[in-house]
Amino acid sequence: MCRNIKTLFNFEPPATEDEIHASALQFVRKLSGFNKPSQSNEAAFNLAVAEVSAAARKLLISLQTTAPARDREVEAEKAKERSRLRFG
């Protein structure tokens, strides 16, 4: 599951709330072992997703770099090329 978590720092345009939430959701799914929690665990699961999202957002805001921001489209093309070379 965690292979789907993408780097969110130092991109232009910056990461969206949806991207941060999706990464937090994948992280909590991996930790808990639940793709969809039971009703009795849903509140704890959703709270964990919200707290991880908040921590990730805080981290992304506080990080600093002198490197130029990466372009999302260029990085997507690189990933497609790596996939093509790997899987043919």
Side-chain angles (χ1 to χ4, degrees):
M1 278 188 269
C2 284
R3 289 177 291 185
N4 295 333
I5 296 176
K6 306 289 188 249
T7 301
L8 299 178
F9 177 63
N10 198 27
F11 276 99
E12 192 56 47
T16 64
E17 288 297 316
D18 287 341
E19 290 171 317
I20 294 170
H21 178 78
S23 289
L25 180 60
Q26 285 295 320
F27 182 73
V28 172
R29 283 177 174 167
K30 184 66 173 185
L31 287 178
S32 68
F34 300 134
N35 191 30
K36 183 173 180 352
S38 63
Q39 284 184 329
S40 62
N41 291 320
E42 190 170 14
F45 186 90
N46 290 338
L47 177 62
V49 172
E51 289 177 344
V52 171
S53 291
R57 190 177 312 102
K58 184 177 178 181
L59 173 66
L60 291 173
I61 290 169
S62 65
L63 292 175
Q64 298 178 11
T65 185
T66 57
R70 294 175 284 178
D71 185 285
R72 289 182 184 279
E73 292 178 19
V74 170
E75 294 300 320
E77 285 300 319
K78 288 180 187 177
K80 286 179 187 175
E81 179 62 19
R82 284 191 303 270
S83 179
R84 186 187 67 73
L85 292 173
R86 182 174 178 196
F87 299 111

